[in-house]
Amino acid sequence: MVADQPLRSAAVPGPRRPQLERAFRGHRGTVTSAVVLPGEEQVVSSSLDGCVFVWHFKPQLRPYRFVGHKGEVYDVAASSSGRLLASASADRTVRLWGNTPQGESRALKVHTAPVRSVCFSRDDSLLLTASDDKTVKMWCVGSHKFRGSFTGHTHWVYSAAFCGNADLAASGGEDKVVRVWDVEKRALVVDLHDFDQPVSKVRFHPDGSCLAACGRDGSIKLWDLRSRRLLQHYGAHKGAATCIDFYPGGDYMCSTGEDLALKVWDLREGRLLFDAPGHQDTPTSCAFAPSGGGLVSGGAGGLVLAWSCVGAGDEDRPCGASGSPGAPAAPQPAAGGGAQRQPRQQRATSAPTSGRRPPAAWRGGAVAGRPPEADGPVTCWPNPFRAERPTWLAGAAEAPPQHRGPAEAGPGAPQDVAATGAEHGAPGCAPPVSLPMQELPEALAGTLQSMHDHMEIMAKTIQLLERRLAMTEGQLTELRLALLPAPPAAGLAGAPAAAQATGVQITEELR
């Protein structure tokens, strides 16, 4: 019999209602993973477009764009120092990237099928990977040598993670089973058969005593690893639950699902704490910052959103099933056959606005108004889902990268976002820069916004002229080829008659 028990851990300040602070645009496909790096000055993200981005909270720094994979990138992880990044791809490799503008990388051919998950151990000595070849493998980060394999899954493995001290590892996937492994002995510890649908993500509690997993049935489950029994079950989402992550103190958890919801759960009380509106496309990833002062999420729209979870006020009171502050939320009992799902909360069509001041790492410049439509990556802008016209302007408007000169980047900005070549960054990638936020009079802000709009029109006009020039050059090339003298046809004069005679001969033979 499984009981619904709240988790108890050391008392730490909990998160406030997430408030959307920043948005990063640059991916051209679904964002598959997003992580806040140690120091909380950068965010790394991966996408189905095959790229890895490192975004800066300092608005004067351009993001790094790393290209090297030959397929979709399913997951990304960062070392404890943030200097080394790892990405897992459909090209059957894991790449280790240096967190620099040049983005040097080394490819590890680790599996015989697409790699779905990658995870560093806490001391950065080991790397854990999971793949569609039904295996979980372990690698030495320093020597890049194979250390061992965990076999037992009967289908694709979507997620794998280390425990805090790396003595245990967990994995889950298409076979609907969560498996816990002894890292030193390379042996199975326990099978957890509580899911009726494939497992999307597995995560260890920060103190290593519990394991959490989410599945395509929309549920989140937590097990006590000492007693090996189910502690809590949440009918978290209507539709598949795509990602989960523990709050640094371990008392809370965030989750995303195909119901467009980003939710924060109170594990001590066993209830929904907050439901944060903001995603207009399916969110696929979420992760708390190391300090717990914020979190990041990414989704099918290609946006990476940064949320602040600090501050106080009436709006920070917990919300219940209806989404109203202070309303009680019904905990989900962990019954053997599954529990009734949490009702979906009503979400606003625009993301929340906040007058609270986030910590330094979550503050910075932004570009007011609607997001630019340039092809290059956009550093950030304020809440992209706000309908009202802002009365302040936080920085200069971005133009497409191909029309910006190095002098426009501002002091301190790296000139090379990524080195050329498939092993490093993409050539010619020069994302725009946003300036620090400034309070401006409404009249001046309106004038600058009008200038911004005119600059966008000019940029689009230049792009159109470039396309027309390319078309004209192509037409001139075709015309030149058409006017060239034709080759002599003396040897071909008798060809039609010979062909006709051959045809008559064949016809007579058939008769």
Side-chain angles (χ1 to χ4, degrees):
M1 179 177 180
V2 181
D4 180 22
Q5 298 181 358
L7 298 181
R8 301 295 180 184
S9 59
V12 294
R16 301 293 181 177
R17 179 184 297 278
Q19 301 291 330
L20 185 58
E21 297 288 345
R22 308 286 288 272
F24 302 98
R25 186 185 70 176
H27 285 297
R28 299 186 179 183
T30 297
V31 176
T32 54
S33 181
V35 179
V36 183
L37 298 186
E40 303 187 5
E41 296 291 341
Q42 295 175 314
V43 174
V44 60
S45 62
S46 60
S47 170
L48 296 182
D49 61 6
C51 299
V52 174
F53 270 95
V54 177
W55 310 94
H56 301 276
F57 281 107
K58 292 182 179 179
Q60 294 175 343
L61 296 179
R62 302 175 180 180
Y64 308 150
R65 179 173 181 259
F66 300 149
V67 176
H69 284 293
K70 298 179 181 178
E72 301 170 333
V73 182
Y74 293 128
D75 195 18
V76 68
S79 64
S80 59
S81 65
R83 298 177 181 176
L84 186 64
L85 310 175
S87 56
S89 173
D91 62 6
R92 307 178 183 180
T93 67
V94 167
R95 280 190 176 268
L96 297 177
W97 307 86
N99 187 8
T100 63
Q102 291 74 28
E104 297 87 356
S105 68
R106 175 165 180 172
L108 306 178
K109 297 181 180 180
V110 295
H111 287 276
T112 60
V115 186
R116 296 283 184 169
S117 175
V118 63
C119 176
F120 282 97
S121 61
R122 183 174 293 178
D123 61 0
D124 298 335
S125 62
L126 298 175
L127 195 69
L128 192 68
T129 60
S131 169
D132 285 357
D133 62 9
K134 309 176 187 178
T135 65
V136 178
K137 295 184 179 181
M138 190 166 55
W139 308 82
C140 179
V141 175
S143 64
H144 304 156
K145 291 184 179 180
F146 176 69
R147 291 290 300 273
S149 180
F150 305 98
T151 58
H153 284 283
T154 59
H155 217 304
W156 302 333
V157 187
Y158 292 141
S159 179
F162 275 123
C163 185
N165 54 10
D167 59 345
L168 295 176
S171 58
E174 188 72 22
D175 60 3
K176 311 172 189 177
V177 180
V178 175
R179 287 180 164 85
V180 182
W181 311 90
D182 186 308
V183 172
E184 183 178 358
K185 298 179 180 179
R186 316 285 196 272
L188 180 66
V189 175
V190 62
D191 282 339
L192 304 172
H193 297 266
D194 294 291
F195 278 99
D196 297 326
Q197 294 292 327
V199 179
S200 304
K201 194 73 67 175
V202 296
R203 287 289 184 268
F204 279 97
H205 191 273
D207 66 8
S209 63
C210 298
L211 175 67
C214 64
R216 291 185 182 172
D217 59 357
S219 68
I220 300 174
K221 301 180 189 293
L222 290 90
W223 296 269
D224 186 340
L225 294 178
R226 293 163 292 193
S227 63
R228 302 183 181 181
R229 64 193 184 100
L230 185 64
L231 281 181
Q232 292 182 347
H233 167 93
Y234 297 89
H237 296 276
K238 292 185 177 179
T242 55
C243 190
I244 55 174
D245 191 49
F246 278 102
Y247 189 70
D251 291 336
Y252 306 93
M253 174 184 286
C254 63
S255 68
T256 54
E258 290 184 352
D259 55 0
L260 309 184
L262 168 64
K263 298 183 178 182
V264 179
W265 304 88
D266 187 336
L267 303 180
R268 298 173 301 177
E269 303 296 334
R271 63 170 179 165
L272 176 65
L273 191 63
F274 302 121
D275 186 352
H279 279 280
Q280 293 184 335
D281 299 286
T282 301
T284 55
S285 64
C286 60
F288 278 108
S291 68
L295 59 88
V296 293
S297 62
L303 291 176
V304 177
L305 305 183
W307 308 77
S308 174
C309 296
V310 296
D314 293 339
E315 64 180 357
D316 297 322
R317 291 178 297 173
C319 65
S322 63
S324 59
Q332 301 296 321
Q340 183 178 1
R341 293 185 179 178
Q342 186 86 6
R344 179 178 178 180
Q345 296 186 1
Q346 184 176 0
R347 295 182 301 277
T349 56
S350 61
T353 58
S354 172
R356 297 178 293 137
R357 190 171 181 81
W362 298 88
R363 297 198 303 265
V367 178
R370 63 182 183 276
E373 298 180 0
D375 293 334
V378 174
T379 308
C380 60
W381 63 87
N383 187 342
F385 310 118
R386 290 177 59 180
E388 67 273 18
R389 179 184 178 89
T391 57
W392 49 269
L393 190 65
E398 285 87 0
Q402 61 267 29
H403 305 304
R404 294 174 60 91
E408 296 180 56
Q415 296 300 320
D416 295 325
V417 175
T420 59
E423 291 291 322
H424 309 298
C429 178
V433 179
S434 60
L435 302 179
M437 184 173 61
Q438 301 174 2
E439 297 276 347
L440 297 177
E442 184 174 358
L444 180 58
T447 302
L448 292 177
Q449 183 64 43
S450 177
M451 295 173 61
H452 173 203
D453 296 339
H454 282 84
M455 290 175 64
E456 286 188 348
I457 295 174
M458 293 174 62
K460 293 179 180 179
T461 302
I462 294 174
Q463 289 180 341
L464 179 61
L465 291 175
E466 288 179 346
R467 288 197 296 267
R468 290 183 177 178
L469 178 61
M471 293 173 58
T472 303
E473 290 177 349
Q475 293 174 354
L476 289 175
T477 301
E478 295 176 357
L479 182 60
R480 184 175 64 241
L481 294 176
L483 294 178
L484 289 176
L492 302 177
Q500 184 176 4
T502 303
V504 172
Q505 181 178 0
I506 294 175
T507 303
E508 292 178 351
E509 290 177 359
L510 291 176
R511 290 179 179 178

